[in-house]
Amino acid sequence: MELMARRTSLYSVHAAVAMVQKFMVEMPKHTGRTLPQWIELVKDAPMRSPKERAAWLQTEHKLGPAYASWIAERAESLPRTDFAWEDDEQYLAEAEEYVETMYAGKKSHLRPIFQALLRHGQALGEDVKVCPCQTMVPFYRKHVFAQVKPTTLTRIDLGLCLRGVPFDDRLLDTGGTAKKDRITHRIELRDSAEIDGEVLDWLRRAYEAAG
């Protein structure tokens, strides 16, 4: 599926999609019902909010928090059929929309910065996967090594995983080290001309460390 998707999209399927698909396949074994069966049960329950439904699934049917919350939220979303995080092709279609939305309107002038970073990131190696989310675009190798986010109307932040590298006036602290997040440093970019050799070197170092 992914090989086919790469011919038609700049992006790769997010790892979370495979996790959700595995979640659905294993649900009958772990819970005794398929997802449609659980949704039908929830729809007939007296409570209506996802929070109440999740609590009911845990207390009355002994489901774990993850299954209970996901079933309750899935039931709330019906009759939608475009669940991007459950289908490879649908995710890739929505990934394109995520990027279009991020760089629309007052942030449209930031798009050349994103496009340049995307080009340089993918040129690092064939194993680079770019998997857009709604508010940012992470770059993966074996792990996330960078992310691109239009933080303000005038600035994109290039986040990098550079554990142990000192911070300075350009290589800023994200707070990720203290919080044990992957992205530890960020570089502020307001124009594609600011993507110089230093920025590309840090991007390459983050990529190499994620291998």
Side-chain angles (χ1 to χ4, degrees), residues 165-173 185-187 198 202:
V165 174
F167 305 109
D168 58 30
D169 291 342
R170 195 176 194 195
L171 207 56
L172 304 174
D173 184 2
H185 299 63
R186 66 182 177 88
I187 299 174
E198 181 184 10
W202 286 123

Side-chain angles (χ1 to χ4, degrees), residues 33-208:
R33 289 182 172 89
T34 64
L35 178 61
Q37 289 171 335
W38 278 114
I39 289 175
E40 194 65 30
L41 186 69
V42 166
K43 286 168 61 179
D44 291 336
M47 59 289 302
R48 287 290 173 263
S49 76
K51 185 176 180 180
E52 290 175 330
R53 285 172 165 176
W56 177 74
L57 287 168
Q58 290 184 71
T59 56
E60 295 296 321
H61 295 278
K62 311 304 179 186
L63 292 186
Y67 274 120
S69 296
W70 189 54
I71 292 167
E73 291 171 4
R74 189 66 160 70
E76 178 73 9
S77 299
L78 293 176
R80 283 188 57 201
T81 58
D82 57 334
F83 292 96
W85 296 89
E86 297 173 14
D87 179 83
D88 291 10
E89 291 184 0
Q90 186 61 41
Y91 166 77
L92 288 171
E94 294 209 7
E96 301 277 355
E97 294 180 13
Y98 295 157
V99 173
E100 290 299 322
T101 300
M102 269 187 275
Y103 296 99
K106 293 182 179 180
K107 291 187 178 181
S108 60
H109 64 287
L110 297 174
R111 187 168 189 133
I113 306 174
F114 166 73
Q115 291 174 325
L117 291 171
L118 176 65
R119 184 172 65 255
H120 288 299
Q122 291 180 323
L124 289 168
E126 294 183 357
D127 57 349
V128 173
K129 295 183 179 182
V130 180
C131 309
C133 302
Q134 289 186 324
T135 60
M136 68 185 69
V137 179
F139 293 10
Y140 293 83
R141 197 178 183 191
K142 289 185 179 178
H143 307 282
V144 175
F145 67 89
Q147 68 181 30
V148 181
K149 182 176 182 178
T151 308
T152 72
L153 294 178
T154 61
R155 186 185 90 229
I156 277 180
D157 281 348
L158 170 62
L160 299 165
C161 180
L162 294 169
R163 293 174 179 171
V165 174
F167 305 109
D168 58 30
D169 291 342
R170 195 176 194 195
L171 207 56
L172 304 174
D173 184 2
T174 64
T177 301
K179 295 183 290 186
K180 298 183 179 180
D181 290 341
R182 287 284 305 170
I183 302 301
T184 56
H185 299 63
R186 66 182 177 88
I187 299 174
E188 297 182 351
L189 299 167
R190 294 176 174 81
D191 189 279
S192 55
E194 296 177 351
I195 306 173
D196 56 15
E198 181 184 10
V199 171
L200 296 180
D201 184 58
W202 286 123
L203 181 61
R204 177 187 56 77
R205 288 179 61 175
Y207 163 78
E208 290 175 350

Side-chain angles (χ1 to χ4, degrees), residues 13-41:
V13 177
H14 198 289
V17 176
M19 290 176 62
V20 170
Q21 291 170 344
K22 183 173 183 286
F23 203 61
M24 292 177 66
V25 168
E26 294 180 347
M27 181 176 284
K29 175 184 175 182
H30 292 160
T31 71
R33 289 182 172 89
T34 64
L35 178 61
Q37 289 171 335
W38 278 114
I39 289 175
E40 194 65 30
L41 186 69

